[in-house]
Amino acid sequence: MKQTIDILIERLNGLAPRLALILGSGLGGLAHQVEEAVRLPYADLPGFPRSGVTGHAGELVAGYFAGTPVIMLAGRAHYYEHGNAAAMRPVLEVLAGIGVSAVILTNAAGSLKAEMPPGSVMLIEDHINFSGTNPLIGEPTERRFVGMSEAYDEDLRGALERAAERAGVLLQKGVYMWFSGPTFETPAEIRMARILGADAVGMSTVPEVILARFLGLRVAACSVITNLAAGMAAGELSHEETKDMAPVGGEKLARILRQFLSDGVPDA
Ligand code: HPA
């Protein structure tokens, strides 16, 4: 990882962001709004994953957003691409290695609540790991026993809620449940998820949250709702729908994030 950290530090040329954003479907456009941008394809960063999912580019963009130094990661590796839940570990290790202290993760998700329709944005307050795996399986040190009681940082959550209010965007709150994918859920699985306490379902983010906490990074995460979950609306779910709908909530989330950064990130 040292090699990648050195490459990045050299390319950043003195810029020292404390905050990184991992952009999910529909938010990749945010990376184009970075000023004085340094762009690095993942292919130039040893250890970084190659994402094959359309709608995910695979580029690290560093620079200024709303006047604040940031790193944006457009493109992530998903567990369902290869069965490796730890595929994002090198990325998070490199971020921690260059002095990033907080990450904000974004994703596209299906909603379990009719009152949180497509186009909504949900602040993740907690998650349920329903994948049956964990990115820290195989980690040999005692550090693997990571506490997850406060995985989603209270100060960051509060700041995002205030930013949403100031930006005039409704920010819902809830529990995100990680299904491995790549299939969408069945209606029976969604009824189960609701009973278990989920508000939204998706195929990403949770492994990165676990890895980030393992590395001592502070975490916040937001879902852009692209659809009502399986069985809640007529018709079959599709990746096309996810890609078509993500920019609607994505535009709202972009406004929240811009406000959040211009207000000043707590401790970052
Ligand atoms: N399920 C899982 N992942 C998703 C969904 C969904 O309904 N929508 C967008 N990503």
Side-chain angles (χ1 to χ4, degrees):
M1 236 16 68
K2 171 99 175 52
Q3 185 198 359
T4 311
I5 291 171
D6 289 346
I7 292 173
L8 192 53
I9 288 175
E10 194 195 323
R11 291 295 304 274
L12 291 181
N13 196 21
L15 186 77
R18 303 273 293 151
L19 180 78
L21 305 180
I22 298 186
L23 307 175
S25 312
L27 270 171
L30 210 59
H32 299 296
Q33 298 177 28
V34 173
E35 287 163 19
E36 298 175 45
V38 175
R39 297 178 181 277
L40 286 162
Y42 287 0
D44 293 353
L45 295 163
F48 272 48
R50 307 282 169 90
S51 175
V53 186
T54 53
H56 297 81
E59 190 179 44
L60 181 153
V61 182
Y64 293 87
F65 184 68
T68 307
V70 284
I71 286 189
M72 295 201 192
L73 292 145
R76 56 151 57 98
H78 301 82
Y79 172 62
Y80 60 72
E81 291 174 70
H82 30 56
N84 175 15
M88 289 295 282
R89 181 166 172 166
V91 175
L92 290 156
E93 283 179 344
V94 166
L95 294 177
I98 64 153
V100 165
S101 62
V103 285
I104 298 184
L105 299 137
T106 69
N107 60 44
S111 169
L112 271 62
K113 298 196 297 193
E115 62 276 21
M116 186 165 69
S120 305
V121 185
M122 186 187 94
L123 178 67
I124 301 181
E125 293 189 298
D126 202 351
H127 73 228
I128 299 172
N129 178 357
F130 195 69
S131 69
T133 191
N134 190 297
L136 295 178
I137 290 174
E139 163 59 35
T141 69
E142 295 267 308
R143 291 170 51 228
R144 64 190 163 195
F145 299 112
V146 179
M148 294 295 289
S149 316
E150 290 169 16
Y152 297 85
D153 188 89
E154 200 180 335
D155 291 342
L156 293 177
R157 281 191 282 135
L160 282 163
E161 286 188 71
R162 284 191 297 279
E165 211 173 299
R166 284 165 67 109
V169 178
L170 176 64
L171 180 60
Q172 309 223 29
K173 293 188 268 189
V175 172
Y176 175 91
M177 190 163 182
W178 177 32
F179 281 81
S180 75
T183 53
F184 287 102
E185 299 73 27
T186 64
E189 286 165 346
I190 292 303
R191 291 194 295 276
M192 172 203 69
R194 191 175 293 116
I195 291 166
L196 295 183
D199 300 297
V201 290
M203 307 177 194
S204 69
T205 304
V206 168
E208 291 134 288
V209 171
I210 293 169
L211 289 163
R213 294 305 299 142
F214 170 68
L215 295 166
L217 298 166
R218 294 156 68 222
V219 171
C222 290
S223 292
V224 161
I225 302 298
T226 53
N227 56 281
L228 291 173
M232 293 176 67
E236 191 50 279
L237 300 180
S238 72
H239 186 53
E240 292 310 312
E241 183 184 28
T242 302
K243 284 191 291 183
D244 287 350
M245 282 306 296
V248 181
E251 191 270 326
K252 293 184 195 167
L253 181 50
R255 273 159 48 205
I256 296 172
L257 291 172
R258 185 175 281 282
Q259 185 73 48
F260 170 78
L261 282 158
S262 59
D263 287 349
V265 180
D267 265 4

